[in-house]
């Protein structure tokens, strides 16, 4: 028993290493090998400095920039061969030899391993109870490409990648302002994932920034592998189908939201950046709306709202009309629908459920299958199953049309997160319509509106600026006013710096008779 206790204490001692770094370089190397399990991707390069002194460069292959290590660390140290008789060799390496921008001292093992596993290179010096950490993060990563989930006709073509520093650089290229502040933290007891919050000081409200910071610091979890982990841990309301944080992989969209006073949450390892706070109308806006004319953008936004309601209540409206409210259908159409449904043995609700579930299966199969065959399976499967179901007398042709229109409307919703919510809510409306008819649909709309009014995103009402009503901010909701008319930033997001557009920005024609008249008169004189 005593032996077991001693072994347990030794194991605990091995798991909880001493905070101080050893002075012997060989002990340091042995300890790093022991802690990392002598992993083959942990490279240790020993260098002789003269007079019996030695140093070592330690890095993890694949996440560190090998070229920078060879050119600015190993080659610099071997060329200089510093004379350490007058000054400590550690200071000479720190101040004169290492030719990299970000170099810092490390005095404990915890920070050493954290820097090493982040892609930085560690420089060990014999006789020194501390180490140098040089920023050499790099390695193989995906290049900047056009976003696949938010395609636009007009606008930039660059999108976020899985590298957090690349993502922050894409945002800084658009907002070249020193007030664009960036804060970094490590989240995840095992993964130690880099998570950054970005905001514009003086525009973003301090209370919202502090709330975002506090919620991130309260997270206690072993791993963060994607921004969805963060979203689930910091959202205001967990029991809702509607997203209360916005995610995007477009840098221009993040820049636009930062300029409105919102906060961006950037997670290393994912191209999707979170934006907080988020409001309901934001999910029906496209970044392309701001690059074109205001009247066209307004018409498209009205269309998207209509599309959203069609994707929710179209099957329910068909069920209610054919089951309870036949008098609302024109006589000729009612006769045609009755003739189609004469051979169908199921009620309208069961008929709609069959088609909706079948289409959801096809949609999920199309997403999970390889890209080369996924679209073919979804299209061919829908055609074959729909035609076969009609010929077998399981469903009516009218129901196939309704389900197809609903699916197309669901695909046309700009934000995928809201489209998924509509897919789930649709089934609730179908059951309400089968039970109470149009009264059930109206009751469902009321319940949905009350639920949306109850939601918050970091304390901001979800239906802002419509509920509560803020007249000054209605110019960028369903209706988008021209840029020169949107003079104020959203009140609930920004600090006192609300002014966005200066006065007298409305386009004006040339003064006097105008340029055209001048050109005509000049042409007449030339002819004479």
């Amino acid at each position: 028993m005593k032996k077991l206790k001693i072994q347990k204490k030794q194991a605990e001692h091995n798991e909880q290493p001493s905070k101080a770094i050893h002075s012997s370089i060989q002990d340091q190397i042995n300890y790093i090998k022991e802690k990392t399990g002598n992993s083959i991707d942990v490279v240790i390069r020993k260098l002789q400095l003269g007079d019996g002194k030695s140093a070592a460069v330690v890095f993890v292959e694949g996440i560190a920039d090998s070229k920078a290590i060879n050119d600015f660390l190993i080659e610099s140290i071997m060329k200089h061969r510093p004379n350490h008789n007058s000054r400590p060799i550690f200071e000479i390496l720190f101040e004169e030899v290492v030719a990299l921008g970000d170099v810092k001292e490390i005095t404990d093992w915890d920070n050493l391993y954290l820097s090493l596993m982040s892609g930085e290179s560690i420089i060990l010096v014999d006789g020194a109870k501390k180490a140098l950490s040089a920023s050499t993060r790099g390695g193989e990563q995906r290049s900047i490409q056009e976003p696949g989930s938010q395609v636009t006709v007009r606008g930039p073509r660059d999108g976020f990648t899985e590298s957090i520093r690349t993502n922050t650089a894409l945002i800084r290229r658009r907002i070249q302002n020193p007030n664009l502040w960036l804060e970094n933290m490590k989240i995840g007891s095992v993964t130690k994932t880099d998570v950054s919050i970005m905001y514009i000081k003086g525009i973003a409200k301090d209370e919202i920034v502090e709330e975002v910071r506090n919620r991130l610091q309260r997270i206690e979890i072993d791993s963060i592998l994607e921004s969805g982990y963060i979203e689930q841990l910091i959202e205001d309301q967990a029991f809702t189908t509607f997203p209360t944080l916005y995610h995007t992989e477009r840098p221009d969209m993040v820049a636009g939201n930062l300029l409105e006073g919102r906060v961006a949450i950037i997670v290393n390892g994912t191209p999707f950046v979170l934006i907080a706070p988020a409001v309901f109308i934001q999910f029906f806006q496209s970044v392309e709306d701001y690059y074109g004319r205001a009247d066209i953008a307004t018409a498209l936004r009205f269309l998207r709202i209509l599309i959203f309601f069609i994707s929710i209540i179209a099957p329910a409206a068909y069920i209610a009309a054919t089951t309870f409210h036949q008098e609302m259908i024109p006589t000729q159409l009612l006769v045609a629908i009755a003739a189609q449904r004469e051979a169908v043995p199921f009620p309208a609700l069961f008929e709609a459920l069959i088609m909706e579930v079948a289409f959801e299966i096809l949609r999920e199969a199309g997403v999970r299958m390889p890209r080369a065959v996924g679209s073919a399976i979804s299209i061919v499967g829908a055609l074959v199953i729909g035609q076969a179901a009609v010929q077998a007398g399981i469903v009516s042709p009218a129901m196939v049309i309704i389900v197809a229109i609903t699916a197309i409307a669901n695909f046309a919703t700009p934000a995928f997160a809201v489209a998924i919510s509509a897919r789930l809510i649709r089934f609730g409306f179908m059951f309400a319509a089968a039970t109470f008819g149009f009264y059930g649909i109206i009751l469902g709309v009321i319940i949905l509106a009350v639920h949306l009014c109850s939601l918050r995103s970091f304390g901001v009402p979800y239906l802002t600026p419509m509920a509560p009503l803020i007249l000054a901010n209605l110019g960028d909701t369903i209706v988008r006013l021209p840029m020169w008319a949107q003079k104020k930033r959203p009140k609930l997001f920004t600090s006192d710096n609300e002014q966005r557009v200066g006065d007298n920005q409305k386009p004006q024609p040339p003064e006097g008779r105008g340029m055209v008249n001048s050109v005509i008169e000049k042409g007449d004189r030339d002819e004479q």
Side-chain angles (χ1 to χ4, degrees), residues 284 289 295-305 307 478:
F284 298 94
D289 295 346
D295 49 0
I296 298 176
T298 300
L300 291 176
R301 289 184 180 181
F302 272 104
L303 179 62
R304 291 170 194 147
I305 296 293
I307 285 171
I478 301 177

Side-chain angles (χ1 to χ4, degrees), residues 7 28 86 102 123 154 172-173 207-208 215 287 311 354 390 405-406 419 421 451 474 478 499 502 506:
Q7 291 177 351
Q28 295 171 354
S86 57
D102 187 11
I123 304 172
R154 180 178 180 178
R172 285 198 180 275
R173 287 178 184 176
E207 293 84 353
I208 294 179
R215 292 191 189 187
V287 67
S311 66
I354 291 175
V390 171
I405 291 174
T406 304
S421 300
H451 175 68
L474 289 178
I478 301 177
Q499 191 70 24
K506 182 178 179 180

Side-chain angles (χ1 to χ4, degrees), residues 149-154 242 246 250 253 280-313 405-416 418-419 422 426 466 476-480:
S149 62
Q150 294 172 313
V151 180
T152 60
V153 177
R154 180 178 180 178
F242 291 96
Y246 192 88
R250 294 191 63 92
M253 182 170 286
F280 180 67
I281 195 63
Q282 182 180 358
F283 294 92
F284 298 94
Q285 300 171 351
S286 173
V287 67
E288 198 173 8
D289 295 346
Y290 301 94
Y291 302 151
R293 293 182 56 85
D295 49 0
I296 298 176
T298 300
L300 291 176
R301 289 184 180 181
F302 272 104
L303 179 62
R304 291 170 194 147
I305 296 293
L306 177 62
I307 285 171
F308 176 72
F309 281 104
I310 289 175
S311 66
I312 288 179
I313 67 174
I405 291 174
T406 304
I408 294 172
N410 194 259
F411 284 130
T413 305
F416 183 70
V418 173
R426 185 188 309 147
M466 296 169 289
D476 190 18
T477 52
I478 301 177
V479 176
R480 187 184 84 77

Side-chain angles (χ1 to χ4, degrees), residues 386-497:
Q387 184 67 23
V390 171
Q391 291 181 353
I394 298 176
V395 297
S396 63
M399 179 56 74
V400 175
I401 295 174
I402 293 296
V403 171
I405 291 174
T406 304
I408 294 172
N410 194 259
F411 284 130
T413 305
F416 183 70
V418 173
I420 295 177
S421 300
R423 289 164 60 181
L424 297 177
I425 296 171
R426 185 188 309 147
F427 289 95
F429 275 94
M430 289 164 55
F431 283 106
T435 307
F436 302 105
F438 277 112
Y439 300 104
I441 296 177
I442 295 172
L443 181 62
V445 171
I446 294 173
I447 294 174
L448 180 62
V450 172
H451 175 68
L452 291 174
C453 289
S454 67
L455 295 179
R456 297 289 187 275
S457 178
F458 287 83
V460 176
Y462 198 54
L463 291 183
T464 302
M466 296 169 289
L469 183 63
I470 304 175
L471 295 176
N473 298 142
L474 289 178
D476 190 18
T477 52
I478 301 177
V479 176
R480 187 184 84 77
L481 297 179
M483 287 295 179
W484 51 265
Q486 299 181 31
K487 297 183 178 181
K488 300 290 185 181
R489 295 187 177 91
K491 286 183 176 295
L492 297 182
F493 304 152
T494 58
S495 58
D496 296 333
N497 185 10

Side-chain angles (χ1 to χ4, degrees), residues 181-319:
W181 288 11
L182 182 69
E183 300 178 14
N184 191 68
M185 59 187 72
K186 299 280 187 179
I187 301 180
S189 58
V190 177
T191 59
K192 305 291 185 183
T193 306
D194 285 313
V195 178
S196 299
I197 61 174
M198 181 176 277
Y199 58 95
I200 301 178
K201 183 66 175 177
I203 294 181
K205 187 171 287 188
D206 294 337
E207 293 84 353
I208 294 179
V209 175
E210 185 64 24
E211 182 65 22
V212 173
R213 186 185 298 115
N214 291 337
R215 292 191 189 187
L216 291 175
Q217 292 175 348
R218 288 200 302 264
I219 294 177
E220 294 183 5
I221 192 172
D222 59 348
S223 62
I224 297 293
L225 301 180
E226 213 273 338
S227 58
Y229 284 50
I230 299 289
E231 182 177 359
Q232 298 174 60
L233 294 171
I234 66 173
E235 59 186 357
D236 289 57
Q237 179 61 263
F239 300 102
T240 179
T241 61
F242 291 96
T244 54
L245 277 86
Y246 192 88
H247 64 267
T248 178
E249 53 178 337
R250 294 191 63 92
D252 53 341
M253 182 170 286
V254 174
N257 282 274
L258 290 175
L259 291 168
E260 290 185 348
R262 292 183 174 92
V263 180
I265 303 172
I266 310 168
V267 181
N268 193 30
T270 175
F272 290 94
V273 174
L274 300 178
I275 298 174
V279 294
F280 180 67
I281 195 63
Q282 182 180 358
F283 294 92
F284 298 94
Q285 300 171 351
S286 173
V287 67
E288 198 173 8
D289 295 346
Y290 301 94
Y291 302 151
R293 293 182 56 85
D295 49 0
I296 298 176
T298 300
L300 291 176
R301 289 184 180 181
F302 272 104
L303 179 62
R304 291 170 194 147
I305 296 293
L306 177 62
I307 285 171
F308 176 72
F309 281 104
I310 289 175
S311 66
I312 288 179
I313 67 174
Y318 176 82
I319 293 171

